Amino acid sequence: WESRVERGNVDACFASEACTHVIEGDMKIGAQDHFYLETNACNVIPQEGDEILTYSSTQAPAKHQRAIAHVLGIPEHKVVCKTKRLGGGFGGKETRAIFINCAAAVPAYDLQRPVRLCLDRDEDMQITGHRHAFYGKYKVGFNDKGEILAVDLKIYNNGGNSLDLSAAVMQRAV
């Protein structure tokens, strides 16, 4: 996945007399745990008419609805996903708990019994991932007044072993 934002000719600007100062270097930002206040949890309850109701600690109930419907092989309108409140999210509860909700939905649907899953802190931190680690290389040209005239920035994120939201995180960083 590659994305670019280009405007003007930075190489020509760096070489010009207007660009009196140039700073370049690199930086690393390590991965971070989201460390939301409550761990990921869900309660999946079978309903009449082949329907499923799930309460999930997610920032994206529609994505959970879509995934559960796909896993169970039923139409999306037969899955209702509710989020009552979150104990913090900080972006970590958008998609990373979908597999937990799906794992509870399968036995709930097959056995027609409610299933609740609540990860403890260690489990949650081990299996739901982190904020992406980033590496960046930069070159900035500016004049004697401190006005930035040119920036050449290359950023890379470590998305880990699955795409998840890596492309969206990178797009926001760009």
Side-chain angles (χ1 to χ4, degrees), residues 29-139:
I29 301 171
Q32 300 173 334
D33 278 299
H34 290 285
F35 212 80
Y36 23 75
L37 303 176
E38 68 175 4
T39 61
N40 281 295
C42 64
N43 189 14
V44 183
I45 306 162
Q47 304 290 295
E48 62 183 41
D50 212 27
E51 294 181 356
I52 288 285
L53 170 62
T54 177
Y55 293 92
S56 179
S57 58
T58 179
Q59 293 170 270
K63 291 178 182 177
H64 282 241
Q65 176 192 32
R66 188 174 310 118
I68 290 169
H70 176 76
V71 166
L72 298 179
I74 61 177
E76 287 182 34
H77 73 273
K78 291 197 172 236
V79 178
V80 175
C81 184
K82 294 184 177 184
T83 301
K84 189 164 184 164
R85 66 183 61 89
L86 289 178
F90 316 113
K93 291 190 168 191
E94 189 171 345
T95 60
R96 299 192 185 228
I98 288 176
F99 72 94
I100 297 164
N101 212 347
C102 288
V106 171
Y109 184 77
D110 286 345
L111 301 173
Q112 289 296 295
R113 303 275 314 225
V115 174
R116 180 174 183 263
L117 265 173
C118 182
L119 301 180
D120 68 28
R121 179 63 65 191
D122 290 337
E123 293 167 334
D124 196 283
M125 291 177 74
Q126 290 173 16
I127 65 176
T128 58
H130 313 287
R131 287 206 170 134
H132 296 68
F134 274 85
Y135 173 69
K137 295 170 72 173
Y138 60 89
K139 183 176 180 181

Side-chain angles (χ1 to χ4, degrees), residues 133-160:
F134 274 85
Y135 173 69
K137 295 170 72 173
Y138 60 89
K139 183 176 180 181
V140 180
F142 55 99
N143 62 22
D144 289 330
K145 295 180 191 175
E147 298 169 325
I148 297 174
L149 304 175
V151 175
D152 185 5
L153 174 66
K154 293 176 176 61
I155 54 176
Y156 308 88
N157 86 17
N158 180 352

Side-chain angles (χ1 to χ4, degrees), residues 20-36:
T20 54
H21 306 280
V22 176
I23 298 173
E24 52 187 311
D26 65 342
M27 60 183 277
K28 294 179 183 178
I29 301 171
Q32 300 173 334
D33 278 299
H34 290 285
F35 212 80
Y36 23 75

